[in-house]
Structure formats: C-alpha cells, structure tokens
Amino acid sequence: MKKVLFVASESVPFIKTGGLADVVGSLPKSFDKNEIDCRVIIPKYKCMDGKFLENLEYVTHFYMDLNWRSQYVGVFRTVCDGVTVYMIDNEYYFSGPKPYGDICYDLEKFAFFSRAALSILPVIDFRPDIIHCHDWQTGLIPVYLKDCFAQSDFYRGIKSIMTIHNLKFQGIWDVNTMKDIAGLADSYFTIDKLKHGKDGNYLKGGIVYADYVTTVSNTYAEEIKTPFFGEGLDGLMRARSNCLRGIVNGIDYDEYNPETDKYIEKNYNIDTFRKEKVKNKRALQQELGLEVNDRKFMIGLVSRLTDQKGLDLINCVMDEICAEDVQFVVLGTGEERYENMFRHYAWKYGGRVSANIYYSEAMSHKIYASCDAFLMPSLFEPCGLSQLMSLRYGTVPIVRETGGLKDTVEPYNEYDSTGTGFSFANYNAHEMLGIINYAKSVYYNKKREWNKIIDRGMAKDFSWKTSAKEYENLYSQILGW
Ligand code: ADP
Ligand code: GLC
C-alpha cells in the first residue's frame, strides 16, 4: 500500500476559489483504496463554512520554529468521502476573510503552512511515501524536504511531486524578506535554485527540488516550455522536461451529474436531454429576469474574472455577441473592471444579458444545466474544469485552442459529423465572434446536428477514472514499486 499525502491551499467542500479546490477534493477519493492511502492537508481557514468547522476533531497542538519565530500549530482532522483530511490551525495566519490576500503576508502564511504540514507528520503518525504538492503555496515543501528535514530518519527518502495548476502564480518576493520568512540559507538563493531575477520564488524552488513535476494537461505541459506561456520559467521547464508530464484533470462525476443534481430544476441524461434540458433554461430565464423563450440561444460563462479568461475578447465584440437572438448569462467575481464591464452590458441589454457578480455553487450548476453553449475564450488555460462540466451537462463549449481546452474539446466538423464543441485558434476577438456565430447558426438551422454534438459530448468520460490511474502509475514509477 502506497501512502500519499496531498498538501494544498484549498479543497472542496471546505474552501474553494477555483479549480485547484475541485481537483484536491475529488482526485484523492478516486484512487484505488487497496493500492493507495491518500490523505490531505489544508489550512483551517476561519472563513470556511461553520458547518465544517464545527465538525472537526481536535488532534493535537505544538509550537514550531519558523526561522526566528515560534508559532502555534494546531492539528484538526475530519473524514470526507472516505478521505482523511487534516487541517492546520493558526489564527494569526488563517483568520482572514479569504484564503489569499496581500502577497507578502501570504508568503509567510504558506511558508508556515508548508513547514507545519511536514512537522505534523510524526505527530499524526503518517509517513507518506510521496508528498504531492499543489501550486506555489506548497513550493517550499520539496525544498524543506531536502533541507532541514532530510537529517531525520523519518523524512529521509520521502519523494515529492509538484503539480502546477497555474504557472502564472509563483510566490515571488525579494530575497531578503523570503530568507527571513522561510529560514533558508543563502545558498538556496542562487539562480539555479530559488532565485528568479533579483527575487526569490517559491514555485521555482518546488520545481527545482521536486522529484517529479506535473501539470494538468498535455498541451499546457508543452506550452510552458515556451516563453509565451512559461512566465519566465520556460528555461527551467525545458531543463526538467525529463521529469515533467501533463495529466489532464477530471471532474467529480457524482457532484456534477445532471441526472441527480439537486440544484437544478429538472434532471436529465443523455437519453432525455432533448426534452428535459430546456426546462432548466426556462426556469433560469425566469429566475434571472431574462425573456422566457425556449428558442433563444443562451450562452453561459462561469469564471474567475481575470485576464487569463480572455474577457477582453468578449469586451471587444460584446455588442455583436448580444444580438436579438442571443442571451448571455455570466457568473463570476474578480477584477473590478470585468465585474463592471458585465454589469454595464446587463444594464445595456436588459432581458438579454444577466450579470451575476457573486460566487454561488448552486447558480453555477444551474448555468451548466440551462445554457445551450458555454464560452471559455481563455488566453491560457492549464486545464479548465468548466468546459468539462459543460460537456457533462450537454452544454456545448466554445473555447480557444489552448492548454486543457485544446485537449478536451474536439472541434465540430460538419463534413464528417464529429466533435463535441467549437474552438478557435488565435487570441482575436473577431475570430471568436466568427466561431460564436457559426455555433449559433448550427443551433438555429441544424438542430439535429446540434443535438448530436451534445450526444457526443455527454458520451465522453471526463471522470477521474483514467487520470487517477495515470497518477497511480506515476507514483509507482517514482517509487520503483
Ligand atoms: P480556474 O481554476 O482557473 O478558476 P477552472 O475551470 O479549472 O478554472 O475551475 C473553475 C471552478 O470554479 C469551476 O468549478 C467553476 O464552476 C467554479 N467557479 C468559478 N467562478 C465561480 C462562481 N462565481 N460561482 C461558482 N463557481 C464558480
Ligand atoms: C488552475 C487553472 C485551471 C485548472 C485548475 C485545476 O486554476 O487555471 O485551468 O483547471 O487550476 O487544475
């Protein structure tokens, strides 16, 4: 039995700001329980829903050195869908209104978290064979493992994997502050280790020191070896390419299931969507104050509202997108300029555009179930889960061919009647508009073809089944057993 420990800054159902939480919350329970004992460590944020906080079991507490600081480490435990989850408590670090805030403060927070995650292992009596780290917040773990922790028998030989969910965020700050926070010697801050330009870089440390590096799709694994997608680390990614692989994400097929989903008006499946799916559309139109009309081509967008998601393309041609025969439903939060942009269009095209600038699990499910198409024109997209959720709900994705979007959405080909969605190649607003209009014309003029696109999309399997196996194989490869 292999013992694997996931360490991450977020996980569903406890705390979520994006797809990372979906992955950390759903991959561990997909492993073969006879082969892998996978446990998870996340912070115990005060902003988590009270119903989770109330049901945690207190395990222990102790004080830990973080350079010259001595900090309280509380350990709590719960079991979720058969997976043991430990939470690290420290009110100084984890009592903010959101998991992340000011970057300098976050750097100390996650240095503490990374060190604490390693320090609690003897106390909870779990010696993992592999520590699987996710994103920059856990970048120091592979470094610490080879540094101070390597002197102890308990830690010696533990392997580490660094999974990159988004190379854009690296945890960068000036070297002196970082040294002071992390308590690492000067020798770590050279250009082949944690130093990046003039600064220190957590994720770079993780990538350099991890035994293996993965990212969340094949295409993104290739893209990040190039300067455009490499965010300054493309050279390092090329240097590590022997130990770098893309494994595409899955989604939780129990949580995202149109047949059983409790959030939606009318359940349906691949056999019944032709009749039933539209009932969700009607209900959503009513709820959001849009014109109630089965025929209208309804486009959905559920997203963090940031540059990554290609929202300036939408801004550029929104007037053209919002033709008489289109409805556009947005759910998202993020940068103020994008929030205001969608508010503006909702005001300008009342009854046609609905801007829901908040976070809601329930509303996201309703949008996946109700819309005809789902727009995701990302500038870059390591994997993307929203397009997988759309496919699962029979909502046709319209995406840009980058990262995981390219790997998971097969473009419609009208000549041989194949494909599960629509895609365009260049980051160009009119190219996107052209493909939206093409999708719209298939929807309006070739409804049978449109429904076959849905059939093919719903028949695809984007559960964790295949990818969990790939991770299991990788664990075997790294351990040699
Ligand atoms: P990213 O991780 O880059 O944000 P993904 O597509 O991988 O993008 O994952 C986004 C996840 O966050 C999906 O589960 C999506 O449904 C969810 N999500 C994004 N914004 C919201 C929101 N405002 N309300 C509810 N869920 C949201
Ligand atoms: C990141 C990426 C997204 C990916 C998610 C989960 O947030 O932006 O593309 O799906 O992580 O891996």
Side-chain angles (χ1 to χ4, degrees):
M1 173 88 88
K2 297 182 181 70
K3 291 187 189 156
V4 176
L5 177 71
F6 272 41
V7 188
S9 57
E10 44 182 284
S11 171
V12 293
F14 308 104
I15 186 89
K16 167 170 166 179
T17 70
L20 170 63
D22 290 301
V23 173
V24 177
S26 56
L27 174 55
K29 65 181 178 187
S30 310
F31 290 132
D32 181 347
K33 297 239 165 8
N34 299 317
E35 296 285 327
I36 293 184
D37 175 2
C38 182
R39 306 191 191 179
V40 179
I41 299 183
I42 59 170
K44 177 174 169 283
Y45 298 108
K46 217 173 175 178
C47 60
M48 276 181 338
D49 195 324
K51 72 172 185 261
F52 297 122
L53 292 172
E54 283 154 22
N55 290 314
L56 299 176
E57 173 199 333
Y58 167 81
V59 179
T60 184
H61 76 270
F62 56 90
Y63 281 80
M64 177 190 81
D65 289 339
L66 184 65
N67 202 8
W68 51 270
R69 301 162 183 84
S70 175
Q71 298 289 24
Y72 170 88
V73 179
V75 184
F76 285 77
R77 178 180 175 276
T78 186
V79 176
C80 182
D81 292 335
V83 176
T84 301
V85 178
Y86 299 95
M87 295 192 194
I88 291 179
D89 183 32
N90 177 303
E91 296 218 343
Y92 171 66
Y93 290 120
F94 301 132
S95 49
K98 289 184 299 191
Y100 319 117
D102 174 61
I103 177 69
C104 183
Y105 188 64
D106 284 353
L107 282 163
E108 185 178 324
K109 184 192 299 183
F110 290 109
F112 164 80
F113 174 63
S114 297
R115 208 175 173 99
L118 289 171
S119 301
I120 72 168
L121 298 177
V123 185
I124 60 173
D125 195 22
F126 185 68
R127 187 199 175 275
D129 300 299
I130 293 183
I131 302 184
H132 193 152
C133 308
H134 298 268
D135 273 355
W136 75 264
Q137 294 88 346
T138 55
L140 288 183
I141 289 180
V143 186
Y144 283 146
L145 262 182
K146 300 261 161 66
D147 183 54
C148 41
F149 289 88
Q151 279 130 38
S152 134
D153 283 346
F154 182 89
Y155 296 94
R156 203 170 302 128
I158 296 180
K159 303 282 186 194
S160 61
I161 298 179
M162 188 78 235
T163 291
I164 302 167
H165 295 264
N166 195 334
L167 196 56
K168 177 100 183 165
F169 305 107
Q170 301 178 2
I172 296 176
W173 203 253
D174 79 84
V175 168
N176 287 334
T177 310
M178 198 170 276
K179 261 189 229 165
D180 176 68
I181 290 172
L184 288 165
D186 288 352
S187 58
Y188 283 96
F189 291 89
T190 54
I191 216 74
D192 57 333
K193 295 179 181 146
L194 269 73
K195 198 167 174 201
H196 181 60
K198 290 205 302 288
D199 294 322
N201 184 322
Y202 280 16
L203 182 64
K204 185 172 180 188
I207 296 169
V208 169
Y209 281 94
D211 294 288
Y212 207 94
V213 181
T214 73
T215 186
V216 288
S217 69
N218 277 321
T219 295
Y220 194 62
E222 290 307 314
E223 285 174 339
I224 56 179
K225 293 179 205 160
T226 67
F228 183 82
F229 294 97
E231 305 287 349
L233 296 183
D234 47 297
L236 175 61
M237 301 319 306
R238 289 194 296 277
R240 291 235 58 188
S241 58
N242 281 339
C243 302
L244 167 67
R245 188 197 299 179
I247 299 179
V248 74
N249 287 333
I251 54 171
D252 186 331
Y253 260 33
D254 298 326
E255 188 62 30
Y256 294 93
N257 182 355
E259 225 172 339
T260 54
D261 195 324
K262 297 264 181 311
Y263 291 123
I264 67 177
E265 176 76 18
K266 185 76 198 171
N267 292 118
Y268 58 94
N269 59 28
I270 191 165
D271 300 317
T272 60
F273 77 85
R274 284 178 173 76
K275 255 185 62 197
E276 308 292 359
K277 188 176 187 313
V278 71
K279 294 179 184 163
N280 292 299
K281 185 183 194 172
R282 248 175 250 159
L284 189 66
Q285 286 169 331
Q286 213 142 35
E287 180 176 350
L288 299 179
L290 298 169
E291 184 199 334
V292 180
N293 182 338
D294 291 359
R295 295 266 308 141
K296 284 284 158 82
F297 184 55
M298 187 191 265
I299 304 174
L301 186 145
V302 177
S303 183
R304 289 183 295 115
L305 303 179
T306 68
D307 284 342
Q308 175 190 340
K309 302 296 177 178
L311 304 169
D312 28 333
L313 295 189
I314 298 180
N315 191 27
C316 216
V317 291
M318 189 68 169
D319 289 308
E320 285 94 328
I321 296 175
C322 295
E324 284 287 344
D325 50 2
V326 169
Q327 291 183 340
F328 199 104
V329 180
V330 176
L331 173 66
T333 58
E335 286 171 38
E336 211 174 307
R337 63 191 170 117
Y338 293 127
E339 295 187 345
N340 288 335
M341 165 186 126
F342 284 118
R343 286 193 186 105
H344 166 77
Y345 287 113
W347 164 80
K348 189 169 177 186
Y349 298 109
R352 244 189 270 166
V353 176
S354 169
N356 304 279
I357 309 301
Y358 52 82
Y359 185 92
S360 160
E361 210 61 52
M363 182 53 75
S364 72
H365 285 239
K366 288 180 195 175
I367 294 176
Y368 293 126
S370 306
C371 291
D372 299 298
F374 188 89
L375 184 59
M376 211 162 161
S378 306
L379 174 62
F380 68 93
E381 197 60 76
C383 178
L385 301 174
S386 291
Q387 82 281 12
L388 304 180
M389 293 161 186
S390 302
L391 286 166
R392 174 88 165 137
Y393 281 79
T395 297
V396 177
I398 302 176
V399 304
R400 194 171 93 81
E401 289 156 17
T402 184
L405 298 174
K406 187 169 173 184
D407 295 350
T408 56
V409 177
E410 191 193 330
Y412 171 57
N413 181 324
E414 62 185 32
Y415 303 105
D416 50 16
S417 203
T418 55
T420 56
F422 293 82
S423 64
F424 62 102
N426 295 302
Y427 195 72
N428 175 303
H430 283 90
E431 205 171 309
M432 177 187 74
L433 181 64
I435 211 76
I436 293 174
N437 284 335
Y438 176 42
K440 189 166 83 175
S441 76
V442 176
Y443 171 82
Y444 277 117
N445 306 323
K446 296 182 180 166
K447 200 53 186 279
R448 293 186 61 183
E449 278 293 296
W450 182 265
N451 283 335
K452 284 191 205 155
I453 299 174
I454 297 178
D455 268 329
R456 290 190 290 270
M458 289 183 86
K460 289 265 175 212
D461 184 357
F462 287 108
S463 69
W464 275 107
K465 216 175 351 177
T466 314
S467 296
K469 265 264 143 341
E470 280 199 52
Y471 279 111
E472 288 175 17
N473 293 341
L474 177 63
Y475 298 154
S476 300
Q477 178 193 327
I478 290 170
L479 292 172
W481 51 282

